[in-house]
Amino acid sequence: MEFPTAARVVIVGGGAVGASALYHLAKAGWTDCLLIEKNELTAGSTWHAAGNVPTFSSSWSIMNMQRYSAELYRGLGEVVDYPMNYHVTGSVRLGHTKERLQEFRRVVGMGRYQGLELDVLGPNELRGRYPFVETHDLTGALYDPYDGDIDPAQLTQALARGARQLGARIERFCPMTGARRENGEWVIETPKGTIRCEYVVNAAGYYAREVGRMLGRDVPMMVMSHQYLLFDTIPELAEWTEESGHKLPLLRDVDSSYYLRQEKTGFNLGPYERNCRAHWATPEDPFPEDFSFQLFPDDLERLEWHIADAMARVPLLAEAKLAKVINGPIPYTPDGNPLIGPMPGVPNAFEACVFTFGICQAGGAGKVLAEWVTEGRTEWDMWSCDPRRFTDYCDDDYCVEKGMEVYGHEYAMHFPKHYWPAGRDRKRSPIHDRIAALGAQFKPFNGWERSMWFAKPGDDTSEAATQTWERDGPWAPRIEEECLAVRDAAGILDLPGFSRYRLKGPGARAWLDRLVTGQLPAPGRIGLAYFADDQGRIVTEMSVMALDEDFFFLITAGAAQWHDLDWLRAHLPPDAAFSLDDVTDAFSCQILAGPRSRDILASVTEGDLRKPWLTHQSAQIAGRWCQLVRISFTGELGWEIHSKVEDTPAIFDAVWQAGQPHGLKPFGMEALDSLRVEKAYRAWKGDLSTDYTILEGGLDRFVDWSKPDFKGKPALERQRQQGVGKRFVTLLVDAGDCDAPYMSTLWHDGKVVGETTSGNWGYRTGRSIALGMLRADLTEPSTKVEVEIFGERFPAMVHGDGAVWDPENERPRA
Ligand SMILES: Cc1cc2nc3c(=O)[nH]c(=O)nc-3n(C[C@H](O)[C@H](O)[C@H](O)COP(=O)(O)OP(=O)(O)OC[C@H]3O[C@@H](n4cnc5c(N)ncnc54)[C@H](O)[C@@H]3O)c2cc1C
């Protein structure tokens, strides 16, 4: 066969993920695609993977991806005529605590919504499924009937075969050695020759950083060594298997952090140890040129505790002889989720790499990647895996610190008031020390440390105190005080790292107008604007501050910095006479809110504080320039005070001092979230995601149908005529000790009829409130539904689609 010198898409890397990406591109009709692999297919992590295929995840989107994989793998062998060893054994996940069972119950609810029947077992039922397990100290277990294991090499070969059958090509022993852009195309260099292509996909696994560099991208990742231990035959297990006619389900002791799988008539034990080891992270341990089909030396010492624990849990294991240790490289991003989607800052390039669970995710990842390439969007909102969620703060040290933290807590629960300690202080507000001195408990947002709540002397701020799903804890009385200060007097919240773009020059307004669904504000005013994709789905929300006819500041969520900029840039006309710049790092922001905020400001500025809601003005505080913006995410009278970073300390000091006689208190992001939920203000990537259209999201009033054209208009017009199947609602919940987490299911008449997208306690209203999506025929106010919270159903009532607090917006207009 001749060497292929051109293809529409080149995928770099022939592991399970690269092969799945090729297969799904070909299935989508993009058959002119080529996968290049430096060695033989499966030479990377895929070669030594244990091949577990769980569906469990506490993340909705990851669970979706894994569910899709398991479904695909069940039929794949037959579809491509390549039989595979795929054993669906089921699994049991052990719970040692009440909190763990709550986590399981929540996942059972999410699973049911995705069509998976998972189940929570009591200790006795557990023994029925797994007779060899010690249960005396367990609270229960999660049973997942879909879990299993697959041969990773066979899976990869099957996907490759399917792709080839559809016309895609694979070139083995063909490393990418360089890349350049030429005439709007990529030229990929290999020792066998160059390949021209329209798109390139980095699917190079733990080599992704090296491949990324050739494309001009620094991939946020690190590499851990991960081991599993294979034990010899155990006669009793062999006998049991013979008698029962099946294998044991896979056992995960998540609180002890390992899995134990039956491997033929022995066991495979795979721990995620706390005292873990990063590789290739220092100059003394450089990244190798090639590590194909290689392993690290065994390192059993670090696993001793886990081996002993597993032997105590399943005493049968103690009878077995250790036969083999596999210690291989496994890549990690700073949050442990892979990178799937557009490559930040690099044209026509995508990532499908840095998979920690790449065997069970390969199927779904291939689907998602293919959608990104062929359609520029994905069916499911995949922000959890979007490469743009990591920005410039993720240097090597950060990646190593976070990767080790995630690995050592692979099965940990992610409690809402627990803020993970590794990799902190990457970006600090100019008044960080002042806020810290007031008791701030920090959490990073896009690298920026923001105060979550303010502790008082004697409050328990330990990590141990945060290991709960419940609303109450040392933070609760403080968050309440903060909310009530904002309601009754005034509060100030330091908000560094609010993403901000400057859009300026002739034609700026006309261009922006075609991108947003609604009307743009006139100069001197600020307004919310929504961006839809071609299907009318919610891409993002920005505050648009109009300084002049063709001069705007676009302000968006901290986390959205690279995502939203990418969206704007992708829509720039080639001949734009205006400029678009990211000026996030040049400014900072304080939110001053509450009925006394006007009095406080009046004592530090000459600005016109009678200017109405949704206006802004340049003003001076402490002799420094600032922009006073009459808007507040709290739903109270208030201003955002935007200032240059270097002027922020002086401005904060002046406002803080002036506020003391008025009862000014600092408040944090926890209070802000409570306040905004009472106002039914949406949060990005919770309530606002591409899982919903603008109309489903109840954002009709932000659509200007009279505009001749805007992005997404035809799709939204169609939906307006046909009506929506589900729609945004605010719910009043008779909750117990926990408010509704993201993706809690809504029930009516014994049927699942929707899901929550946010939930919190409203301290002004004294109510548990949830925002969510409900079947359209049930959205009438006062309709009764139920919300399933950690497995228990609680009564809830539809409030409508607006605010519970001050529905007429009288307070911010005051
Ligand atoms: C011990 C161990 C056990 C594991 N067990 C499981 C498990 O049970 N379940 C699970 O889901 N996951 C498991 N994993 C993780 C899993 O192995 C990986 O997530 C998965 O294999 C990643 O697949 P991939 O295709 O992304 O990467 P890889 O398999 O690493 O493939 C990347 C490919 O890119 C090629 N390549 C690199 N550079 C270039 C270049 N310049 N040009 C061309 N080609 C290049 C490499 O040769 C390689 O073949 C385990 C990992 C380890 C270490």
Side-chain angles (χ1 to χ4, degrees):
M1 275 259 286
E2 251 177 60
F3 182 72
T5 54
R8 191 154 186 206
V9 183
V10 169
I11 296 171
V12 184
V17 174
S20 178
L22 187 72
Y23 177 63
H24 282 87
L25 280 166
K27 265 183 52 163
W30 283 42
T31 51
D32 181 16
C33 297
L34 169 70
L35 183 153
I36 58 172
E37 162 55 49
K38 71 190 286 180
N39 194 287
E40 185 54 88
L41 291 181
T42 75
S45 291
T46 297
W47 167 59
H48 53 245
N52 302 330
V53 185
T55 57
F56 178 98
S57 173
S58 55
S59 149
W60 173 262
S61 47
I62 299 276
M63 187 185 219
N64 225 349
M65 199 161 66
Q66 295 178 173
R67 174 193 55 76
Y68 175 90
S69 293
E71 276 167 19
L72 175 76
Y73 301 169
R74 269 201 290 283
L76 184 67
E78 206 167 310
V79 171
V80 304
D81 192 20
Y82 189 95
M84 278 181 289
N85 286 317
Y86 179 26
H87 311 112
V88 179
T89 57
S91 68
V92 290
R93 199 170 262 259
L94 311 186
H96 292 241
T97 61
K98 176 184 102 189
E99 289 74 22
R100 187 61 87 171
L101 281 209
Q102 285 176 293
E103 182 201 44
F104 291 168
R105 290 203 176 97
R106 170 156 185 250
V107 172
V108 167
M110 290 201 318
R112 189 190 307 106
Y113 208 4
Q114 295 194 11
L116 301 173
E117 287 303 326
L118 312 180
D119 205 3
V120 173
L121 310 177
N124 287 338
E125 291 166 292
L126 169 61
R127 280 189 73 95
R129 297 244 174 233
Y130 203 111
F132 306 106
V133 64
E134 281 297 327
T135 57
H136 63 277
D137 54 350
L138 301 180
T139 47
L142 179 94
Y143 179 62
D144 174 357
Y146 311 92
D147 209 324
D149 57 89
I150 198 163
D151 180 319
Q154 290 179 339
L155 168 66
T156 310
Q157 295 296 351
L159 291 163
R161 185 182 168 100
R164 284 198 189 99
Q165 284 168 352
L166 293 165
R169 288 165 297 166
I170 295 177
E171 194 67 28
R172 295 171 302 136
F173 302 101
C174 184
M176 166 170 157
T177 51
R180 61 179 191 276
R181 294 283 290 163
E182 223 174 70
N183 304 326
E185 280 183 327
W186 283 105
V187 180
I188 306 297
E189 292 160 12
T190 80
K192 294 185 175 178
T194 58
I195 310 156
R196 306 187 82 83
C197 62
E198 200 177 330
Y199 300 101
V200 60
V201 179
N202 181 354
Y206 58 81
Y207 298 86
R209 184 173 267 170
E210 278 51 45
V211 168
R213 281 195 187 119
M214 297 180 212
L215 298 164
R217 148 87 163 149
D218 193 11
V219 179
M221 64 172 288
M222 54 86 72
V223 180
M224 297 295 299
S225 96
H226 175 50
Q227 308 180 74
Y228 60 85
L229 285 57
L230 295 169
F231 292 84
D232 264 347
T233 288
I234 304 166
E236 198 181 332
L237 181 58
E239 217 172 283
W240 180 86
T241 310
E242 173 88 35
E243 264 172 34
S244 67
H246 59 83
K247 292 211 284 185
L248 286 169
L250 185 146
L251 179 149
R252 280 190 192 80
D253 193 336
V254 280
D255 294 316
S256 293
S257 198
Y258 60 80
Y259 68 81
L260 182 70
R261 183 176 104 193
Q262 182 176 346
E263 188 73 32
K264 299 200 175 80
T265 47
F267 278 115
N268 168 346
L269 173 66
Y272 289 92
E273 66 282 12
R274 287 275 160 92
N275 55 337
C276 49
R277 169 118 202 246
H279 265 284
W280 307 328
T282 60
E284 299 75 51
D285 180 20
F287 193 81
E289 178 80 9
D290 187 29
F291 203 71
S292 302
F293 298 113
Q294 291 182 53
L295 293 172
F296 300 125
D298 306 353
D299 187 0
L300 287 181
E301 227 171 84
R302 12 189 258 253
L303 308 184
E304 273 172 10
W305 183 88
H306 297 82
I307 298 170
D309 193 78
M311 285 179 173
R313 180 65 54 203
V314 181
L316 202 56
L317 180 65
E319 296 171 20
K321 215 170 96 219
L322 179 62
K324 198 172 175 187
V325 178
I326 304 286
N327 185 1
I330 188 164
Y332 271 77
T333 63
D335 62 11
N337 285 351
L339 304 172
I340 318 172
M343 192 180 292
V346 183
N348 289 21
F350 294 85
E351 286 173 338
C353 51
V354 200
F355 281 78
T356 295
F357 294 100
I359 305 306
C360 66
Q361 292 171 358
K367 164 185 155 63
V368 171
L369 183 279
E371 288 168 352
W372 270 123
V373 175
T374 61
E375 299 172 47
R377 59 172 179 251
T378 55
E379 180 190 350
W380 317 312
D381 191 283
M382 287 304 298
W383 177 243
S384 62
C385 299
D386 195 306
R388 296 166 294 190
R389 71 194 187 278
F390 300 116
T391 66
D392 60 352
Y393 65 93
C394 299
D395 61 14
D396 291 359
D397 290 347
Y398 176 82
C399 291
V400 170
E401 259 187 75
K402 289 303 285 183
M404 291 184 72
E405 181 181 60
V406 176
Y407 180 95
H409 299 84
E410 190 57 76
Y411 296 130
M413 289 175 272
H414 293 268
F415 294 111
K417 298 293 186 291
H418 180 242
Y419 319 133
W420 288 94
R424 300 296 297 274
D425 287 327
R426 308 305 294 182
K427 293 191 172 188
R428 281 176 158 212
S429 148
I431 56 163
H432 181 91
D433 293 343
R434 290 165 170 81
I435 297 296
L438 294 170
Q441 303 302 305
F442 290 100
K443 177 180 162 182
F445 291 73
N446 191 27
W448 290 95
E449 295 290 337
R450 289 184 183 165
S451 55
M452 298 305 294
W453 60 281
F454 286 82
K456 293 211 166 132
D459 284 350
D460 183 357
T461 56
S462 66
E463 276 192 84
T466 63
Q467 304 300 296
T468 174
W469 303 108
E470 291 182 9
R471 176 188 317 120
D472 273 344
W475 48 83
R478 305 293 164 243
I479 297 171
E480 175 165 25
E481 285 162 17
E482 293 168 28
C483 290
L484 299 189
V486 171
R487 182 191 70 183
D488 299 332
I492 188 162
L493 182 141
D494 181 37
L495 204 64
F498 223 165
S499 303
R500 180 188 308 253
Y501 320 116
R502 183 173 46 216
L503 174 68
K504 191 174 182 185
R509 177 175 289 267
W511 170 73
L512 187 61
D513 190 51
R514 279 192 299 276
L515 276 190
V516 306
T517 57
Q519 277 185 12
L520 289 175
R525 294 190 64 86
I526 184 163
L528 276 183
Y530 289 87
F531 295 70
D533 69 8
D534 289 328
Q535 293 178 317
R537 303 181 309 168
I538 305 165
V539 173
T540 192
E541 168 205 80
M542 297 189 205
S543 294
V544 176
M545 195 196 298
L547 289 128
D548 212 334
E549 192 56 24
D550 275 322
F551 182 11
F552 302 91
F553 277 116
L554 308 178
I555 299 173
T556 182
Q561 186 183 5
W562 281 13
H563 173 277
D564 283 8
L565 187 61
D566 211 35
W567 183 261
L568 293 171
R569 285 198 172 139
H571 292 89
L572 282 178
D575 52 352
F578 53 87
S579 59
L580 174 71
D581 300 296
D582 185 341
V583 293
T584 301
D585 290 349
F587 295 89
S588 204
C589 177
Q590 314 290 310
I591 291 184
L592 176 69
R596 307 305 295 273
S597 52
R598 180 177 281 125
D599 299 335
I600 296 171
L601 275 185
S603 59
V604 292
T605 180
E606 311 262 282
D608 177 1
L609 302 175
R610 287 281 151 204
K611 274 182 166 254
W613 193 37
L614 304 179
T615 61
H616 60 87
Q617 60 186 305
S618 272
Q620 297 273 317
I621 295 179
R624 323 287 164 115
W625 168 88
C626 64
Q627 194 77 12
L628 291 180
V629 185
R630 180 121 184 245
I631 191 171
S632 185
F633 207 44
T634 63
E636 299 293 339
L637 173 69
W639 282 262
E640 288 178 0
I641 309 172
H642 296 258
S643 51
K644 289 188 181 149
V645 166
E646 60 275 20
D647 294 335
T648 302
I651 291 174
F652 174 80
D653 287 345
V655 175
W656 179 249
Q657 236 172 12
Q660 292 318 298
H662 298 280
L664 179 65
K665 293 266 183 328
F667 70 105
M669 299 296 291
E670 297 284 6
L672 185 66
D673 195 66
S674 161
L675 296 163
R676 68 102 194 162
V677 166
E678 286 178 312
K679 291 294 295 178
Y681 291 155
R682 302 358 178 222
W684 191 62
K685 288 307 177 196
D687 317 298
L688 301 171
S689 84
T690 53
D691 283 335
Y692 310 113
T693 68
I694 296 277
L695 299 184
E696 288 166 344
L699 299 167
D700 316 43
R701 67 183 186 283
F702 295 98
V703 180
D704 178 1
W705 299 107
S706 70
K707 290 207 299 191
D709 192 24
F710 59 82
K711 193 165 174 69
K713 187 177 179 191
L716 287 170
E717 266 179 337
R718 271 196 305 279
Q719 194 174 45
R720 182 159 68 141
Q721 274 161 18
Q722 288 161 1
V724 292
K726 60 179 168 184
R727 199 177 158 82
F728 178 87
V729 284
T730 312
L731 296 164
L732 300 174
V733 189
D734 284 335
D737 298 330
C738 308
D739 301 307
Y742 180 65
M743 284 291 163
S744 303
T745 36
L746 302 177
W747 291 81
H748 181 75
D749 247 356
K751 288 199 190 75
V752 175
V753 289
E755 69 273 6
T756 63
T757 49
S758 287
N760 208 337
W761 185 261
Y763 288 96
R764 284 179 300 201
T765 51
R767 305 290 316 233
S768 182
I769 298 167
L771 310 181
M773 293 288 167
L774 184 61
R775 215 174 66 194
D777 60 308
L778 298 171
T779 55
E780 274 305 304
S782 300
T783 306
K784 294 207 164 45
V785 294
E786 287 173 305
V787 186
E788 181 179 325
I789 302 177
F790 296 109
E792 217 181 313
R793 291 194 216 166
F794 294 90
M797 195 180 78
V798 176
H799 175 77
D801 67 355
V804 182
W805 176 252
D806 185 27
E808 301 304 324
N809 281 330
E810 282 163 13
R811 296 174 72 91
R813 284 184 223 267

